[in-house]
Amino acid sequence: MIRSDTILGALAVIAGLLLLWASFFIPTSGFVTTLSAQFFPHVLAGVMVILGGLLLARPRSDTLQGALAPLATARFAGFVLATAFYLIAFPSVDFRLGTALFLLAGIVLMGARKPLELVLVPVLGALGMWIIFRFGFTILLPVWI
Amino acid sequence: MDLSQLAQAALILADPSVWLWLIVGTALGMVFGAAPGLTATAGIAIATPLTFGFDFASSMALLLGLYCSGYFAGSIPAILINMPGAPGNAATSLDGHALARRGKADLALCLAVIGSALGGFLSIVVLAFAAPTLSAFALRFTSVEYAVFALFGLTCIAAISRGSLVSGLLGAALGMVLGLVGIDPVGGMERLTFGNFSLLTGIALLPALIAFFAITEVFAQAMAGQHGRELPRQEQARPLAVFRLIVQRWWLVVKSSAIGIGIGLLPGTGPTIASWIAYGEAARGDPQVGSKDGSENGVLASEVANNAVTGAALVPLLTLGIPGDTVTAILIGAFLIQGIEVGPLFIATHGQLFMQILILLALANLAILVVGLGTRRWLPLLLRIPQRILVPMIVVFCAAGAFSVNNMSFDVLMILVLGFGGFVLMRLGMPMAPVVLGLVLGPILERNLRDALTVHQMDWSVFVTRPISLAIVCITLLVIGVTYWRSRGRARPAT
């Protein structure tokens, strides 16, 4: 049975080694008489490998299945995908349109079924949020018109 | 303190416009502090140019009202929806939201309101009576002391890593790695950007905060479904009972205020570090702090320290002309608009204006109490919004908030990457609070350590040969020792 700490520890060791590898590409200036720009990345890489090793050696009893199984539902995957699409498209789609579509998808995935709710929440939510940021905080959000 | 000057300064209380601008400032501070991505700093930066036509008292009423309430208001979304409005309120969300989950959001809000006002009042006392002495002491802090101080701050990890210290340390290391990204602050070299131009400025703290607290919470709620993490009906708290509860914890208030004031005095620090260190101290004394059920002590310590920074950060500004944090840096502009130069002669030559500042700061903290306690009954109504609507709305708020920090779409992408990554790591058992602490303290530790060694020709002994630095090193070792001793005591089975 795979444990959560085993995966976390393995990830930490891999991340530490990757950091160590990447830090060798950090340029250093020969004129600076102090710790180099590579010093902290090296230290942190070492710390991550050691801590990852400790987790691998002495994992707690939580199982990986218990930690990640709830994520493997269609509803959760749909919500994460909708969020990802919304955030990736954020700069190129009109805020009001993108937000209305995301809110519609989001509330449906969260279980909303009432027709009035499915119309009012996306429309009023998107417009209300745009008005607050545009006129309240004078923040220019991406819009087409 | 010159009482005749105080009496003359008190005449501003008869001016209705001062009251009006104080209320406007407090209300604006509430909005800017509570909105994710926007901070008191942004609010003051926007409001400062508006004070061109104001007299000194009205200008300060607006800006100081905004300053004090802006630092407090981030605790409102932190408690209600686990989304700190500002970095200084991140520690509040740990216990504040846990209390809300137990139906005690009103109690947590009352504690935040009264604690913030108390912290603010205590820092005014320090500003009034000890400003010149303390600013001279703060000036003795060099990069050596800042470096060991950041190291001391990292001892909080033990307190906020409930469950597994190794996972907590790993989280802090991850946060520090994220803090390395961008231009190396000493050598000016590009570091861990992988050729991405947007990463040159590093990973901004506010989007990271939104990702690690709000987006992870959103995903957790989406995973639980529409009723899985629905909050229970909220109990009403009686302010008098909360006052009594705070009086019983007077030592925690004094300790957290001292931490907030001490950190506020040091230029370049700010409320984020203050609230985390105070929170860590509270956690050392109360095992309930940071637990699943949350503790009143965690909220109180974090909020007292957060607002104790406000008056203290004005000490170096008004006595030396050095701003203690970003907000006071902008306030220099507000003073210049009034034709006043702050510096060593300010209190001597503008004693009455100094008194006006003290009075307005006290009023601003009073306004936090009045507005905070007055509106707190309606704030938990936010929790009555069904989860199926609230959760997607929070995502929209997070996206717009992250975008508004630097007007960069990259920050919006960042909250997705960090938020999802953080959520998976959280499911694997890594707490998020140490990640944020590492992100805050890592760059401070690195920059000051390297600066200190540059100045002292790579002589590492400098950290134990300077008296203040040695004292902080000893306190750090003492805290680590006590934490270890207590953890052994808890681990030992009862006989």
Side-chain angles (χ1 to χ4, degrees):
Chain A
M1 191 186 299
I2 303 173
R3 293 178 178 177
S4 296
D5 275 358
T6 310
I7 297 298
L8 192 60
L11 284 175
V13 170
I14 293 167
L17 292 174
L18 278 175
L19 177 64
L20 188 68
W21 170 77
S23 63
F24 284 114
F25 296 99
I26 297 170
T28 53
S29 167
F31 297 104
V32 181
T33 54
T34 184
L35 297 173
S36 82
Q38 295 178 343
F39 175 79
F40 258 74
H42 283 171
V43 170
L44 289 171
V47 167
M48 289 176 90
V49 170
I50 292 169
L51 292 173
L54 281 174
L55 284 177
L56 283 171
R58 295 174 63 184
R60 284 172 294 173
S61 57
D62 308 1
T63 63
L64 183 67
Q65 200 188 355
L68 297 185
L71 312 191
T73 60
R75 193 195 59 241
F76 179 75
F79 190 86
V80 171
L81 274 178
T83 305
F85 275 127
Y86 174 62
L87 297 179
I88 291 166
F90 190 87
S92 40
V93 176
D94 187 300
F95 175 80
R96 294 157 295 190
L97 178 66
T99 299
L101 289 175
F102 168 73
L103 285 177
L104 178 63
I107 61 172
V108 167
L109 286 163
M110 289 296 290
R113 292 292 177 268
K114 294 175 192 161
L116 195 64
E117 204 170 274
L118 294 177
V119 174
L120 286 182
V121 171
V123 173
L124 295 181
L127 278 179
M129 206 71 87
W130 178 69
I131 288 168
I132 289 171
F133 275 85
R134 175 66 188 87
F135 300 106
F137 301 135
T138 60
I139 303 283
L140 293 172
L141 294 165
V143 284
W144 289 339
I145 305 166
Chain B
M1 185 185 279
D2 190 332
L3 289 178
S4 65
Q5 280 184 341
L6 183 65
Q8 278 183 327
L11 291 176
I12 58 167
L13 298 176
D15 184 352
S17 66
V18 170
W19 288 96
L20 173 73
W21 289 118
L22 185 80
I23 293 165
V24 171
T26 306
L28 280 177
M30 290 277 181
V31 174
F32 273 89
L38 297 169
T39 58
T41 314
I44 290 183
I46 291 168
T48 298
L50 306 177
T51 63
F52 264 105
F54 290 19
D55 58 19
F56 181 80
S58 299
S59 160
M60 287 296 123
L62 174 71
L63 299 176
L64 294 178
L66 215 158
Y67 179 33
C68 294
S69 67
Y71 271 31
F72 146 72
S75 63
I76 298 169
I79 290 167
L80 297 179
I81 49 176
N82 198 22
M83 184 166 60
N89 308 101
T92 307
S93 68
L94 298 180
D95 286 61
H97 191 61
L99 286 172
R101 292 206 165 284
R102 287 167 53 203
K104 294 186 172 183
D106 193 37
L107 170 66
L109 284 169
C110 275
L111 283 168
V113 171
I114 300 169
S116 296
L118 272 177
F121 279 125
L122 289 170
S123 74
I124 297 166
V125 174
V126 171
L127 179 63
F129 293 102
T133 319
L134 286 173
S135 61
F137 176 73
L139 267 190
R140 292 169 65 187
F141 269 65
T142 65
S143 51
V144 175
E145 283 75 22
Y146 276 102
V148 287
F149 196 70
L151 204 62
F152 171 70
L154 286 173
T155 60
C156 294
I157 294 167
I160 56 177
S161 305
R162 297 282 180 215
S164 165
L165 180 61
V166 178
S167 301
L169 288 170
L170 197 56
L174 177 68
M176 289 170 88
V177 170
L178 293 176
L180 292 173
V181 175
I183 298 282
D184 162 32
V186 178
M189 301 295 171
E190 204 175 314
R191 209 163 49 165
L192 303 176
T193 60
F194 304 102
N196 189 326
F197 180 75
S198 302
L199 283 173
L200 282 178
T201 51
I203 291 172
L205 183 60
L206 268 170
L209 204 66
I210 290 172
F212 290 130
F213 283 97
I215 296 291
T216 53
E217 177 69 18
V218 159
F219 285 152
Q221 295 195 6
M223 188 188 77
Q226 67 165 317
H227 299 300
R229 286 164 72 95
E230 202 96 46
L231 296 184
R233 192 168 179 81
Q234 300 296 319
E235 298 167 16
Q236 286 288 322
R238 287 181 24 244
L240 270 178
V242 180
F243 266 117
R244 269 200 296 275
L245 193 141
I246 291 174
V247 169
Q248 286 164 358
R249 288 156 173 78
W250 65 273
W251 176 238
L252 182 68
V253 173
V254 170
K255 202 163 62 169
S256 305
S257 301
I259 290 169
I261 291 166
I263 289 171
L265 286 170
L266 303 175
T269 49
T272 313
I273 302 172
S275 58
W276 277 116
I277 291 181
Y279 182 84
E281 273 304 305
R284 268 188 267 278
D286 177 5
Q288 196 70 16
V289 172
S291 68
K292 204 178 167 188
D293 288 341
S295 163
E296 293 88 352
N297 291 351
V299 178
L300 190 61
S302 162
E303 282 305 308
V304 168
N306 181 34
N307 269 59
V309 169
T310 52
L314 288 172
V315 171
L317 176 74
L318 299 179
T319 57
L320 302 165
I322 300 169
D325 60 7
T326 45
V327 175
T328 46
I330 301 168
L331 279 180
I332 290 180
F335 279 98
L336 287 175
I337 286 172
Q338 299 296 325
I340 295 162
E341 201 173 325
V342 283
L345 297 175
F346 175 75
I347 296 177
T349 55
H350 297 92
Q352 200 181 320
L353 298 186
F354 177 63
M355 296 295 170
Q356 285 185 9
I357 290 172
L358 293 178
I359 291 169
L360 289 168
L361 271 176
L363 288 178
N365 283 292
L366 199 64
I368 290 177
L369 265 183
V370 174
V371 177
L373 291 179
T375 55
R376 74 175 216 288
R377 281 182 190 281
W378 295 288
L379 294 172
L381 290 179
L382 182 68
L383 301 178
R384 299 239 183 119
I385 300 174
Q387 294 289 90
R388 62 180 183 276
I389 296 172
L390 189 60
V391 169
M393 290 292 276
I394 292 174
V395 174
V396 176
F397 232 102
C398 289
F403 181 79
S404 59
V405 176
N406 298 311
N407 272 2
M408 276 174 66
S409 52
F410 184 76
D411 286 339
V412 181
L413 202 60
M414 196 51 77
I415 64 167
L416 173 68
V417 174
L418 295 180
F420 188 72
F423 176 69
V424 172
L425 290 174
M426 201 169 77
R427 293 294 304 169
L428 290 173
M430 182 188 281
M432 284 299 106
V435 182
V436 174
L437 192 68
L439 187 59
V440 171
L441 290 178
I444 297 174
L445 174 64
E446 186 195 12
R447 189 177 61 245
N448 287 294
L449 180 71
R450 291 171 69 191
D451 280 351
L453 290 172
T454 308
V455 171
H456 295 92
Q457 286 85 43
M458 293 296 285
D459 178 11
W460 287 81
S461 69
V462 71
F463 296 104
V464 288
T465 51
R466 291 173 62 89
I468 299 175
S469 169
L470 177 64
I472 303 171
V473 168
C474 290
I475 293 169
T476 307
L477 292 174
L478 189 72
V479 166
I480 293 171
V482 169
T483 308
Y484 178 71
W485 179 69
R486 280 187 182 167
S487 66
R488 273 178 66 93
R490 271 200 287 269
R492 199 176 296 138
T495 52

